[in-house]
Amino acid sequence: MDTAATVKVLNFKDLGALGSAKKKESKSRIIIGEGVVTKDGLLEGLVLELFQRQLTSCVVITDSNVARLYSQEIVQHFSQIHKTSLIKLPPGEESKSIDSSVKILAQLAKLGFDKEGLLVLLGGGVIGDLGGFVASIYKRGVKYIQLPTTLLAQIDSSIGGKTGVDATWGKNQIGTIYQPIGVIIDPSFLKTLPEREFLNGIGEMVKYGVTSNARIFEELEGNSNFESLSELTHMIEPCVKIKAKIVSRDPNDSGLRSILNYGHTIGHSIEASSNYKASHGVSVLFGMLGEGWIAHELGLFQKDDFQRQELLIKRLLRKRNNNTQFRAILSLRHEMLAKFALSDKKNAAGKLRMSLPDRIGRMHINEDGTFKIPVSLDLFKSSFRYMKSIFSET
Ligand code: ADP
Ligand code: ZN
């Protein structure tokens, strides 16, 4: 399978469109629907449509937390299609390693898993990234589907075919771009998602609002207290549509996709220099504060929009306060952050470059036609002072 992705999003209410979509065009489909996974026969039908051939076997890959909650039901569904086995990993980022990929490859070989089999990745970003990587290298590539169970995976990491594992020299440093045949998103999985994991996804929602769609931002702004998860699940579909559209236009991450990296230059450097004590979600929220401030200082991000972003992020951070993480961020030094930021993939010739907004819902296009704006190291350092000042107010 090549890396080209025509990613098509369907709500499961219009599933008629699945069969009629031109097969050549649609390499990766995304299906969204509350309860899709639990409705009798629906999941099996969808998977067979997506696979389009006789299946020899299924292997569900998951972690032990998700397994406890959902594996019995999911394995049962897939057993209706064909012989189904379960591979379970310990939860957490430690599982996203070359070692566990090799172990999974060996388990697949032992199960006699072949090119006509299907891998089912049930879990959050860890399972999706690791399982996608295994799918891309086992026998030079087998088919897989994603069943994302975290908000972050549902609106971001399961879409677009980025796979990978962590290396001793950095996160996601070994990987491929390899599209799943389908992503089946069922928001009902989120009912069991812990609070901290939920905030990871909200960071990306704010990102979609600022980079691509002012309406998403306004919805978040209008949300008075972010009290219940159900207040946000209706936002999954618009977020997925943005990601799908961007990935379809830039499957290999060579241009447009960089806008989805907003908040991530600083975000990743906060995560890495805190030794991952700060979660991805909180780091990206801080990252957007800092990068938004830089965009404003450069005269790009207009003042009223910059202030709206600041207010929303402050409200989110205040609402979902997490002292350990905040302390970790507060104790960081900007020299350390700069070291990580300078190894960001958007940089060129050792100079920092960031994707920055003009307005809420619109990113700035640089003179060279890219979305990567050069940023001086001094401005980067000052943004950290600004973030700290916001933090102390929070
Ligand atoms: P991310 O999508 O943020 O990369 P991970 O794959 O690391 O997340 O998953 C985060 C944690 O949440 C893991 O401990 C995982 O087992 C757990 N988890 C994933 N999905 C669910 C769910 N639907 N309900 C409860 N816990 C979940
Ligand atoms: Zn992210």
Side-chain angles (χ1 to χ4, degrees):
M1 201 186 301
D2 60 44
T3 59
T6 307
V7 185
K8 197 168 169 54
V9 183
L10 298 167
N11 191 296
F12 87 114
K13 292 183 208 95
D14 4 282
L15 277 182
L18 186 66
S20 63
K22 277 193 215 135
K23 291 187 175 151
K24 248 199 210 152
E25 270 180 18
S26 308
K27 293 214 162 125
S28 189
R29 299 219 187 78
I30 303 169
I31 293 137
I32 306 177
E34 180 92 25
V36 170
V37 171
T38 45
K39 284 208 174 59
D40 255 0
L42 188 56
L43 184 63
E44 295 91 300
L46 279 178
V47 169
L48 289 174
E49 280 273 4
L50 291 167
F51 199 76
Q52 291 170 5
R53 289 207 284 275
Q54 198 62 39
L55 259 169
T56 51
S57 67
C58 302
V59 174
V60 176
I61 304 182
T62 192
D63 72 34
S64 52
N65 289 337
V66 179
R68 209 174 309 120
L69 294 160
Y70 301 108
S71 71
Q72 207 180 0
E73 190 178 2
I74 299 293
V75 167
Q76 203 177 357
H77 279 296
F78 284 93
S79 303
Q80 313 284 325
I81 308 176
H82 222 289
K83 180 176 147 266
T84 301
S85 316
L86 180 71
I87 296 182
K88 226 174 10 180
L89 296 142
E93 194 73 25
E94 296 73 41
S95 284
K96 233 180 96 175
S97 68
I98 268 288
D99 279 1
S100 28
S101 336
V102 174
K103 279 189 196 137
I104 300 171
L105 292 168
Q107 277 172 286
L108 292 175
K110 201 165 158 203
L111 289 166
F113 187 77
D114 63 24
K115 295 279 286 183
E116 301 303 311
L118 177 70
L119 289 184
V120 177
L121 311 183
L122 172 72
V126 167
I127 293 297
D129 287 5
L130 167 72
F133 179 60
V134 167
S136 72
I137 57 175
Y138 183 74
K139 292 185 191 286
R140 299 204 177 91
V142 289
K143 291 193 174 187
Y144 75 109
I145 61 167
Q146 297 266 18
L147 289 185
T149 62
T150 63
L151 181 60
L152 179 72
Q154 294 198 341
I155 64 174
D156 194 7
S157 60
S158 70
I159 305 151
K162 279 195 186 169
T163 86
V165 295
D166 301 334
T168 47
W169 58 92
K171 262 181 105 172
N172 297 319
Q173 292 301 302
I174 304 170
T176 56
I177 293 185
Y178 186 70
Q179 301 297 336
I181 56 168
V183 183
I184 301 177
I185 299 173
D186 186 341
S188 62
F189 278 126
L190 306 181
K191 287 181 187 144
T192 53
L193 195 69
E195 182 78 3
R196 173 187 155 108
E197 301 306 331
F198 205 78
L199 189 59
N200 267 330
I202 295 183
E204 307 296 345
M205 268 189 188
V206 176
K207 176 189 84 177
Y208 287 121
V210 178
T211 60
S212 315
N213 186 328
R215 290 244 295 280
I216 291 182
F217 191 90
E218 283 155 18
E219 282 264 343
L220 286 166
E221 262 181 334
N223 202 308
S224 55
N225 53 13
F226 304 101
E227 210 59 78
S228 114
L229 307 188
S230 57
E231 288 173 60
L232 292 166
T233 47
H234 70 285
M235 313 261 296
I236 293 176
E237 188 163 335
C239 292
V240 166
K241 284 191 166 144
I242 295 172
K243 176 89 191 234
K245 198 163 145 191
I246 292 175
V247 166
S248 298
R249 289 200 197 147
D250 180 18
N252 295 320
D253 198 8
S254 45
L256 180 67
R257 211 158 155 172
S258 64
I259 68 172
L260 297 181
N261 223 258
Y262 175 52
H264 282 63
T265 310
I266 295 182
H268 282 148
S269 56
I270 289 178
E271 262 187 293
S273 39
S274 77
N275 222 352
Y276 297 95
K277 282 199 203 78
S279 72
H280 184 69
V282 169
S283 304
V284 168
L285 285 169
F286 269 92
M288 287 186 288
L289 272 179
E291 293 181 22
W293 181 86
I294 290 172
H296 179 56
E297 287 292 302
L298 289 173
L300 309 176
F301 203 7
Q302 307 219 348
K303 189 167 181 189
D304 51 340
D305 281 359
F306 163 62
Q307 287 172 336
R308 282 170 68 197
Q309 186 202 255
E310 185 185 90
L311 188 66
L312 177 65
I313 295 178
K314 267 161 68 174
R315 275 177 55 210
L316 275 166
L317 289 173
R318 211 178 278 142
K319 182 74 207 162
R320 289 159 193 269
N321 203 336
N322 183 328
N323 288 333
T324 326
Q325 286 195 70
F326 279 26
R327 265 201 303 276
I329 295 173
L330 197 60
S331 66
L332 297 176
R333 301 180 62 82
H334 62 66
E335 294 82 0
M336 189 73 161
L337 288 170
K339 191 186 112 198
F340 285 106
L342 282 168
S343 64
D344 187 83
K345 62 184 174 191
K346 296 183 295 309
N347 300 341
K351 295 252 162 60
L352 273 177
R353 296 197 304 172
M354 295 179 183
S355 294
L356 300 172
D358 280 327
R359 303 243 34 160
I360 282 171
R362 199 181 71 202
M363 295 301 273
H364 185 75
I365 304 178
N366 198 22
E367 295 150 349
D368 63 0
T370 72
F371 291 95
K372 296 169 191 161
I373 325 295
V375 172
S376 75
L377 215 48
D378 276 348
L379 203 53
F380 174 84
K381 286 179 186 164
S382 308
S383 76
F384 192 51
R385 275 194 288 279
Y386 157 78
M387 281 185 281
K388 279 193 170 178
S389 73
I390 288 294
F391 174 83
S392 47
E393 287 170 26
T394 306

